[in-house]
Amino acid sequence: MAIYDFKGRNSDGRLVTGQLDASTQDGAVNQLLGRGITPVSIEPHVEELTLSDRISRSLNAGRVSSVELIMFCRQMHTISRAGIPLVKGLRGLSASIRNYAFQQALNDIVERLEAGVELSSAMRAHPKIFNNMIVSMVSVGENAGRLDVVFKQLSEYLERDHSTLKSIKTALRYPSFVLIAMTVAIAVINIYVIPAFAGLFEKFGAQLPLPTRILITVSDFFVNYWMYILLVLVAAVAWCLHYIKTPEGSRVWGQKKLRLIIVGDIIERASLARYARSFGLMLNAGLPLSNALELSARAIDNPYLGDKIRAIRAGVERGEGLYQTHLVSGMFTPLVLQMIAVGEESGQVDALLAEVASFYESEVEYDVKQLSDRIEPIMIVMLAGFVTIIALGIFLPMWDMYAIQK
């Protein structure tokens, strides 16, 4: 389908202008004639973009935020529940979305639906926007006639996931700013402040204490080799980013970040909450156990934990129970394992997994609130150490020179 700008005259002979959707120009002519309008001109619509729109489209680079996905799922829940045809509903959503990449994806999905393709298959053509879990859930909803329920569950899942990640990022913002400020301060002091004091001390020819000699040596290294230091840092960061994107590197980083001081435990429980929530959600939607575990391994966004979940899937495929496979994985506490065992015995694994997810999410929420209180003492100690070293290095020789002069 394409958009056409038209000019025509109605039955009274008055000039009428507007836009319409049609697959071809001839189709647009037939639509106008059906409305009693004699077409004068029909031209393909050319979108006029402002400079800000062009900049935003170039910066977006095909990305769709989690908030936009949440709103999409909510709106699709409303459309499905109200019984509005999918083509009509998606066309309306596309017209109201400002994200160009998302808008184009929805237009493509509409065209595929009009060609007879199922919604899940049309969404699978856009893996950067709709991941495997979303596509599989939609497929189950189509087959069961429960699209409205599935989209509601997806919106709730994405909203909880977004809220948890946002809380962690918010808690880490303050220490990140402090570390950046300390790095800038160290660079400025080493490049500008210490060399000035070094020249002053050299004029007096005094014997400098050890802390001062260390500071001057470090400062000279910064001043003389700053370009090489910068190149090494840039190369190291580039290599680390490249390594993390490799299969081996992503698994190593997935394991290492679970062992980070203070935040590692929070990241692990947030990942396990995502696993429990997504696994229970897919079981509730009716996905086979093996498929649900595989999709949960992808949804957890940690290749190291993903391998453990795939080991759970392998155990289930061998005929082992959920409790035994989860126990062998070593990822869960005894309380959580007990809840999984009860769910397996009662046939309500999905409901118990939702309880597990809520348990982990409440723990993460509490720890995130306490994160600043746990990080602040470390920041204070680091700042105190930094100030003490600078003060000793600068003031000790001044005191020595003052004592000599007396």
Side-chain angles (χ1 to χ4, degrees):
M1 298 289 283
I3 300 175
Y4 291 91
D5 296 320
F6 71 86
K7 292 181 181 179
R9 297 193 178 275
N10 59 15
S11 56
D12 298 331
R14 288 184 299 176
L15 183 66
V16 180
T17 61
Q19 293 179 344
L20 52 81
D21 292 340
S23 55
T24 63
Q25 197 165 12
D26 290 338
V29 171
N30 293 332
Q31 285 191 42
L32 291 174
L33 292 175
R35 298 179 190 176
I37 299 173
T38 303
V40 174
S41 67
I42 298 177
E43 300 292 339
H45 174 68
V46 178
E47 188 176 11
E48 296 182 0
L49 298 176
T50 63
L51 180 61
S52 61
D53 289 335
R54 292 177 183 176
I55 293 174
S56 63
R57 288 188 182 184
S58 61
L59 293 177
N60 184 51
R63 292 189 298 269
V64 175
S65 68
S66 56
V67 175
E68 289 171 321
L69 270 180
I70 292 169
M71 293 304 300
F72 169 76
C73 290
R74 285 181 180 176
Q75 291 166 325
M76 287 300 295
H77 163 66
T78 303
I79 289 169
S80 303
R81 187 178 61 180
I84 299 172
L86 287 177
V87 171
K88 183 178 179 181
L90 284 168
R91 197 177 294 281
L93 284 180
S94 173
S96 64
I97 288 175
R98 299 187 63 182
N99 187 320
Y100 180 72
F102 203 5
Q103 187 181 66
Q104 293 300 105
L106 292 184
N107 288 336
D108 179 71
I109 290 173
V110 168
E111 292 179 2
R112 292 173 186 269
L113 288 175
E114 290 176 334
V117 178
E118 291 184 340
L119 177 61
S120 57
S121 300
M123 293 170 71
R124 189 174 283 112
H126 302 278
K128 290 184 178 179
I129 300 175
F130 305 106
N131 59 32
N132 288 318
M133 186 190 74
I134 294 176
V135 172
S136 299
M137 292 282 293
V138 171
S139 177
V140 171
E142 283 179 315
N143 295 329
R146 300 171 58 195
L147 265 181
D148 57 334
V149 176
V150 164
F151 277 116
K152 182 180 179 182
Q153 292 175 333
L154 282 172
S155 67
E156 292 172 350
Y157 166 77
L158 292 172
E159 191 170 3
R160 289 192 187 96
D161 197 48
H162 173 73
S163 177
T164 301
L165 293 176
K166 187 177 178 181
S167 299
I168 294 174
K169 289 179 180 178
T170 301
L172 294 176
R173 189 173 299 153
Y174 166 71
S176 300
F177 284 148
V178 172
L179 289 175
I180 292 171
M182 285 182 61
T183 303
V184 173
I186 290 171
V188 171
I189 289 172
N190 277 287
I191 295 173
Y192 296 105
V193 178
I194 294 177
F197 279 97
L200 176 65
F201 298 150
E202 189 176 356
K203 289 179 181 179
F204 284 94
Q207 178 65 33
L208 300 178
L210 180 61
T212 306
R213 295 201 302 271
I214 293 174
L215 283 178
I216 292 175
T217 303
V218 172
S219 175
D220 289 341
F221 184 77
F222 263 88
V223 172
N224 295 323
Y225 302 102
W226 67 268
M227 186 177 293
Y228 300 104
I229 295 172
L230 183 62
L231 287 174
V232 169
L233 287 175
V234 171
V237 171
W239 181 84
C240 288
L241 292 176
H242 171 73
Y243 181 66
I244 287 173
K245 291 180 181 178
T246 63
E248 180 187 359
S250 62
R251 285 173 173 79
V252 171
W253 171 236
Q255 183 179 14
K256 295 295 183 184
K257 67 183 178 182
L258 300 180
R259 299 176 180 175
L260 293 174
I261 300 173
I262 298 177
V263 297
D265 189 47
I266 298 176
I267 293 172
E268 181 176 13
R269 279 182 286 184
S271 298
L272 293 178
R274 175 184 283 190
Y275 160 69
R277 182 72 63 186
S278 59
F279 186 31
L281 182 64
M282 286 180 276
L283 288 180
N284 181 265
L287 262 71
L289 194 59
S290 180
N291 292 352
L293 283 167
E294 174 61 30
L295 292 173
S296 298
R298 298 178 189 176
I300 204 170
D301 197 24
N302 185 320
Y304 172 71
L305 293 177
D307 287 344
K308 289 196 170 189
I309 295 171
R310 289 186 178 92
I312 293 175
R313 187 198 67 179
V316 169
E317 290 174 346
R318 290 193 301 267
E320 300 175 12
L322 282 177
Y323 170 77
Q324 183 63 31
T325 51
H326 281 73
L327 175 64
V328 172
S329 70
M331 294 193 300
F332 303 93
T333 62
L335 176 61
V336 172
L337 290 171
Q338 184 180 0
M339 294 176 72
I340 292 174
V342 172
E344 192 173 18
E345 291 176 2
S346 62
Q348 295 181 332
V349 177
D350 55 338
L352 269 296
L353 283 172
E355 294 293 330
V356 170
S358 299
F359 168 74
Y360 277 127
E361 286 165 354
S362 62
E363 283 197 334
V364 169
E365 183 180 0
Y366 175 78
D367 285 344
V368 166
K369 290 179 180 178
Q370 303 297 318
L371 190 57
S372 296
D373 295 336
R374 296 165 66 181
I375 290 177
E376 278 180 7
I378 298 176
M379 294 288 103
I380 292 171
V381 170
M382 291 176 64
L383 284 172
F386 173 66
V387 172
T388 302
I389 291 171
I390 298 297
L392 288 175
I394 292 176
F395 290 114
L396 277 178
M398 288 185 175
W399 293 333
D400 291 342
M401 287 186 292
Y402 177 74
I404 292 172
Q405 289 178 354
K406 284 185 70 176

